[in-house]
């Protein structure tokens, strides 16, 4: 199993925290991104979403576990990556990247 956080040259994939709320609200500000995410674009809803995600064990079977996609150069969360573990060694991955960071080689 992967250890968190996961680092690439430009990104850090890590657990969400309450400091990410403003960045997630920025991501949700664009309709093309907001329509594919399940949370409402307000601070209490994003806080509740983060708390729910943090109540899961990493890669818990049957849970859709989201990680923050942090752009190291800016220290900003620019998206979310979700991992659904269906059974040992099987799963699905989905992601959403903020509109301003799309088409820049992040996904």
């Amino acid at each position: 199993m992967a250890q968190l956080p996961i680092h690439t040259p430009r990104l850090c994939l890590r657990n969400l925290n309450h400091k990410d709320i403003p960045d997630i609200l920025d991501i949700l500000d664009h309709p093309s991104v907001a329509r594919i995410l399940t949370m409402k674009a307000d601070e209490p809803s994003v806080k509740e979403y983060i708390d729910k995600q943090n109540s899961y064990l990493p890669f818990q079977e049957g849970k859709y576990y989201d990680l923050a996609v942090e752009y190291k150069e800016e220290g900003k969360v620019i998206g979310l990556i979700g991992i659904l573990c269906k059974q040992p060694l099987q799963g699905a991955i989905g992601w959403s990247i903020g509109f301003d960071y799309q088409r820049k080689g992040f996904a």
Side-chain angles (χ1 to χ4, degrees), residues 11-79:
L11 302 174
C12 176
L13 308 179
R14 58 167 178 76
N15 290 320
L16 296 159
N17 64 62
H18 290 161
K19 290 187 242 175
D20 299 328
I21 292 173
D23 294 342
I24 294 171
L25 289 171
D26 285 347
I27 293 166
L28 291 168
D29 195 41
H30 198 277
S32 70
V33 179
R35 69 181 167 81
I36 61 173
L37 295 174
T38 59
M39 69 192 100
K40 294 180 184 175
D42 61 66
E43 188 170 333
S45 297
V46 174
K47 182 183 182 303
E48 180 181 334
Y49 170 79
I50 290 171
D51 291 342
K52 182 178 177 184
Q53 286 296 311
N54 287 330
S55 73
Y56 300 151
L57 295 172
F59 315 113
Q60 183 176 345
E61 188 172 326
K63 299 289 185 188
Y64 196 80
Y65 189 72
D66 276 336
L67 298 171
V69 178
E70 181 181 315
Y71 183 29
K72 291 178 180 179
E73 185 175 304
E74 296 180 7
K76 180 179 176 75
V77 174
I78 62 167

